[in-house]
Amino acid sequence: MADVHFVVGPPGGAQRVPAHKYVLAVGSSVFYAMFYGDLAEVKPEIHIPDVEPAAFLIMLKYMYSDEIDLEADTVLATLYAAKKYIVPALAKACVHFLETSLEAKNACVLLSQSRLFEEPELTQRCWEVIDAQAEMALRSEGFCEIDWQTLEVVVTREALNAKEAVVFEAVLSWAEAECKRQGLPATPRNKRHVLGPALYLVRIPTMTLEERVFVAGLGLYGSSSGKAEYSVKIELKRLGVVLAQSLTRFVSDGSSSTFPVWFEHPVQVEQDTFYTASAVLDGSELSYFGQEGLTEVQCGKVTFQFQCSSDSTNGTGVQGGQIPELIFYA
C-alpha cells in the first residue's frame, strides 16, 4: 500500500524504493514538509541521485522499526542521508559508530567528513588520532581522498607528530590523486595547479639536508670535433612517470668540459628510490663519451647510487655514456 516511490542513487545505479508518506513524515521534518507542507510534492516518484540506495534503506529501516543496522562500508553515506533528512538519532548513532572504529588509517577521511557534516566531537577525536599517529595517518590511502580545505588545515596543523618531509610526501600523493580525479595527467605542472596555495604551506625550511635533495639538471658532454650546436631533450622519470624534462639547445666549444642543461623546474628526489635520467642529443658532430663510470658517488652528506636502466636503447649505462654529471642542490 505504498503511496510514494523513490528512485535512489545515481543514473545507472539507481534503485526504486516504495514507502509510505505518513511514516516518513512522522520521523523526519524534511519529509513532513515534502509531503504535507505548503510546497508538498505531488509526484508519485521522487528522484534522489545524491544518496546511496543502501544508506537510504538503512534510514528507512530505522524510521519504520526503530532499528539501526550500520556497517563500515555504508556508515558515511548513512550519516549523509540522516543529516539531509534531519533524523538526529540515526545521525548520532553513525557518529558513535565512526568514533569507535576510528584509527590512523581512516582518521583523515573521517576528519574530512566530520568537517563536512559539522560534527565537532568527531572532528576532535579525529585530531587526537592524527596528532598522535601522524605519519601513519598521512601515509594512508585515505589521506589522498580528503578535500582541499581539509588538506590545508592538516598541513598547517602545529600539533602533528611527523617530520615535515612526511607531510611533503603526503601532499604530493594527494596532488597525484587529485589530478586523477580531475582527469589530468599527473605532471608536476598539474600537481602544482591542483595544490594551489597549499603547496606553499609546507614548512620546507624545517626539513633537514638529507630530506631535501633537488635534482635541477644534467651536465652533458659536447662535441669532440670543434664548436658545434646540439638540440637536446633531457628527462627524469620514476617508475616510468616523467617528473621533469627540458627540450633546449646548447653550444659546445669542442672541449671535454661538461655543459649544464637545466630542467624546467627542480625535482625533489627521495631517499632509497631509483630514478631514470635520460638525454637525447641531436647534432652533426660526435660527442665525447664517458668511460669507467662509478656505481656510487658521495657528495657531501648525499650519496648517489647508479645502475643501468632497462630503458637504454644504445648500450649506455653506468660504465659508459653521455651523462657525466647530476646537477643538484640541498
Side-chain angles (χ1 to χ4, degrees), residues 5 13 28 43 55 82 118 148-149 175 193 206 215 228 278 280 328:
H5 286 79
S28 162
K43 299 177 182 177
E118 298 181 347
W148 187 91
Q149 288 77 15
H193 171 71
T206 66
V215 174
S278 64
V280 178
F328 79 98

Side-chain angles (χ1 to χ4, degrees), residues 103-115:
E103 53 185 332
K105 67 181 181 181
N106 65 6
C108 291
V109 171
L110 295 185
L111 174 68
S112 179
Q113 296 298 318
S114 67
R115 284 164 46 82

Side-chain angles (χ1 to χ4, degrees), residues 117-138:
F117 295 136
E118 298 181 347
E119 290 289 342
E121 292 184 7
L122 179 57
T123 298
Q124 180 58 34
R125 286 284 296 116
C126 290
W127 277 127
E128 291 171 3
V129 173
I130 294 170
D131 288 343
Q133 305 179 63
E135 294 199 4
M136 189 179 300
L138 293 172

Side-chain angles (χ1 to χ4, degrees), residues 133-190:
Q133 305 179 63
E135 294 199 4
M136 189 179 300
L138 293 172
R139 286 173 170 152
S140 67
E141 293 183 6
F143 180 82
C144 296
E145 300 174 13
I146 64 177
D147 60 281
W148 187 91
Q149 288 77 15
T150 302
L151 174 73
E152 185 179 32
V153 297
V154 171
V155 171
T156 55
R157 180 81 170 174
E158 295 288 347
L160 285 181
N161 183 24
K163 295 179 179 179
E164 201 66 19
V166 176
V167 177
F168 185 60
E169 291 171 5
V171 167
L172 294 181
S173 297
W174 183 92
E176 185 169 345
E178 182 63 16
C179 284
K180 292 180 181 178
R181 284 190 287 269
Q182 296 188 21
L184 301 171
T187 63
R189 187 184 302 275
N190 286 338

Side-chain angles (χ1 to χ4, degrees), residues 270-283:
E270 300 175 9
Q271 193 173 7
D272 301 322
T273 303
F274 272 105
Y275 298 80
T276 301
S278 64
V280 178
L281 276 74
D282 185 8

